[in-house]
Amino acid sequence: MNYEGLQDKRIAVLLSGGVDSSVVVYELAKLGLHPDCFYIKIGPEDTASEWDCSMEEDLEMATAVARKYGCRLEVVDCHREYWDRVADYTINKVRAGMTPNPDVMCNRLVKFGAFNEKCGKDYDLIATGHYAQTEIEKLQSSNSQLSNSQITWLCTAPDPVKDQTDFLAQIEDWQLAKVIFPIGHYIKDEVRQIAEREHLASAHRKDSQGICFLGKIDYNEYLRRYLGEQQGDVVELETGKRIGTHQGHWFHTIGQRKGLGLGGGPWFVVKKDIQQNIIYVSHGYDPATAYSQDFAIRDFHSLNGVLPPTYVTFKIRHTPDWHKATLEALPETGSYIVHSSKPIHGVAPGQFCVVYDEQAHRCYGSAEIAL
């Protein structure tokens, strides 16, 4: 991370109470900085119900870290914005038969969106505990008025397992230009070691799993609460034979293997008929029907206004692996056909295809996989 000039900036830290954001505060404090810290409150929709999460423990940890380094901590209530923007997006996509990613939209609409509306606009920089990096590219121009122009690139972290650029690939250009990632150059073990060495309260906390606002509630229970159940047929794709029933297409995703309740497996979900509420499955270990090599993406979101080249790498889910591909531009602006060099398992409409350069270093942005 380039720390040059930070002393002259007003910095806000998004402090969740986890080990990563706690080490962010330490990294800034060791420079003699005392950034203002903010805990973003989202939580369950009904705060009086059993749908609670670890907010109380999170806030306790965040308070301890802020106090240790002499930083002010403020709780920012983005509960309503989260449910109006992110949870609503999730339900609408699932209802339409797609596979949404709430974490991606939470970064764009809440952590950098709603937070900026409420508090962030008063700060020059926003620091987070994401495993990602940024690079500044100076633009060359014969126009003297543009000689100092620059663009910001979102770049991958050295830890491929923890790299979170895929979760950030839908943020706006102004959000990218404002964010800094003080631990983005570390691997996870190094962050843990720093937290232990500095005796941070969160040093041994486990990484959060799943979708925070659900707390202790299973994702399928969340969908059942809002979408209910509707029995439909499970059909074998190759034969057209009805082999079982399901309780709603929204409980199943393309590529799913577990939780189908079918005998004689393994079975994979390979297709969904949303209008007829039919789930199509294929039988066997890694059937060819569970893979796709060419698929369309739409509404490409560029992180900094630069569109991707022909030869790229990409990923469609949060894994440490990138895939090589060529992009074929379609007449419709922002739409492409992705020609993957190898078949990809579980390509599903609604997922974000995140596009990088050939070295899987710079991220251009992302687009939704089309139906």
Side-chain angles (χ1 to χ4, degrees):
M1 175 184 169
N2 183 4
Y3 295 107
E4 184 180 349
L6 289 189
Q7 273 78 7
D8 300 325
K9 304 292 185 181
R10 292 202 67 201
I11 303 173
V13 175
L14 301 188
L15 182 57
S16 68
V19 64
D20 297 326
S21 59
S22 297
V23 173
V24 165
V25 179
Y26 160 76
E27 286 287 305
L28 296 173
K30 75 180 184 180
L31 299 175
L33 303 175
H34 299 281
D36 290 338
C37 299
F38 295 87
Y39 177 86
I40 297 180
K41 176 183 175 182
I42 45 178
E45 183 182 30
D46 181 359
T47 54
S49 75
E50 77 282 4
W51 291 49
D52 76 329
C53 61
S54 58
M55 186 178 68
E56 185 175 339
E57 184 181 354
D58 290 341
L59 191 52
E60 181 180 333
M61 295 289 181
T63 300
V65 171
R67 183 182 298 119
K68 179 180 178 73
Y69 294 109
C71 300
R72 182 176 70 88
L73 176 66
E74 180 179 336
V75 176
V76 183
D77 191 345
C78 292
H79 173 268
R80 190 70 268 154
E81 288 83 359
Y82 189 95
W83 282 90
D84 288 347
R85 302 177 190 182
V86 181
D88 190 56
Y89 149 84
T90 303
I91 287 296
N92 287 336
K93 290 293 185 182
V94 171
R95 183 186 287 117
M98 297 184 179
T99 303
N101 190 322
D103 295 322
V104 171
M105 300 313 290
C106 182
N107 282 321
R108 175 175 173 171
L109 301 176
V110 177
K111 290 182 180 177
F112 299 119
F115 170 75
N116 193 72
E117 294 165 9
K118 290 173 180 266
C119 303
K121 59 182 179 293
D122 297 326
Y123 293 85
D124 302 308
L125 299 170
I126 298 174
T128 79
H130 287 98
Y131 287 84
Q133 301 184 93
T134 57
E135 288 181 357
I136 304 298
E137 180 182 3
K138 299 288 186 180
L139 299 180
Q140 301 297 322
S141 174
S142 58
N143 186 333
S144 60
Q145 291 183 334
L146 299 177
S147 59
N148 295 322
S149 295
Q150 62 185 32
I151 58 175
T152 304
W153 287 97
L154 176 67
C155 299
T156 52
D159 188 336
V161 174
K162 297 303 295 182
D163 176 76
Q164 294 174 304
T165 51
D166 52 323
F167 291 138
L168 296 162
Q170 278 280 314
I171 64 174
E172 303 289 354
D173 55 355
W174 65 265
Q175 295 170 331
L176 178 60
K178 193 170 183 175
V179 70
I180 56 173
F181 306 112
I183 65 165
H185 58 294
Y186 290 130
I187 63 173
K188 184 70 179 192
D189 286 348
E190 291 173 324
V191 171
R192 288 279 184 199
Q193 290 167 11
I194 292 171
E196 290 173 3
R197 186 191 71 214
E198 299 301 319
H199 306 291
L200 301 183
S202 56
H204 299 288
R205 292 195 79 188
K206 292 181 179 180
D207 291 346
S208 59
Q209 300 291 330
I211 303 170
C212 174
F213 69 85
L214 293 184
K216 300 175 183 178
I217 301 299
D218 178 81
Y219 183 54
N220 279 347
E221 288 300 316
Y222 164 68
L223 296 180
R224 187 172 287 109
R225 171 168 176 167
Y226 288 94
L227 297 177
E229 295 183 350
Q230 183 182 350
Q231 191 174 91
D233 292 335
V234 178
V235 175
E236 185 175 15
L237 181 69
E238 290 81 359
T239 65
K241 179 182 178 182
R242 178 182 176 277
I243 60 172
T245 61
H246 62 87
Q247 299 306 311
H249 68 77
W250 42 86
F251 295 117
H252 304 284
T253 58
I254 303 298
Q256 177 183 343
R257 174 179 170 181
K258 297 180 179 180
L260 295 174
L262 301 173
W267 296 94
F268 291 82
V269 176
V270 295
K271 183 181 177 182
K272 298 197 289 186
D273 184 329
I274 307 307
Q275 297 300 320
Q276 300 298 319
N277 194 30
I278 298 173
I279 299 295
Y280 290 94
V281 298
S282 194
H283 186 242
Y285 287 92
D286 268 358
T289 45
Y291 288 77
S292 300
Q293 193 161 358
D294 305 289
F295 55 90
I297 59 176
R298 64 185 179 193
D299 299 327
F300 186 83
H301 173 77
S302 170
L303 285 163
N304 55 18
V306 180
L307 293 177
T310 300
Y311 299 100
V312 298
T313 55
F314 74 95
K315 59 171 63 178
I316 62 168
R317 56 179 63 91
H318 186 59
T319 71
D321 301 314
W322 284 265
H323 309 283
K324 293 184 179 296
T326 58
L327 292 184
E328 176 189 348
L330 297 176
E332 181 184 355
T333 302
S335 294
Y336 299 86
I337 299 293
V338 178
H339 299 289
S340 176
S341 62
K342 296 180 180 179
I344 305 298
H345 185 269
V347 178
Q351 288 174 317
F352 286 110
C353 176
V354 186
V355 178
Y356 302 81
D357 61 17
E358 289 188 85
Q359 294 73 41
H361 176 59
R362 286 181 169 180
C363 179
Y364 285 92
S366 63
E368 191 177 80
I369 296 173
L371 285 168

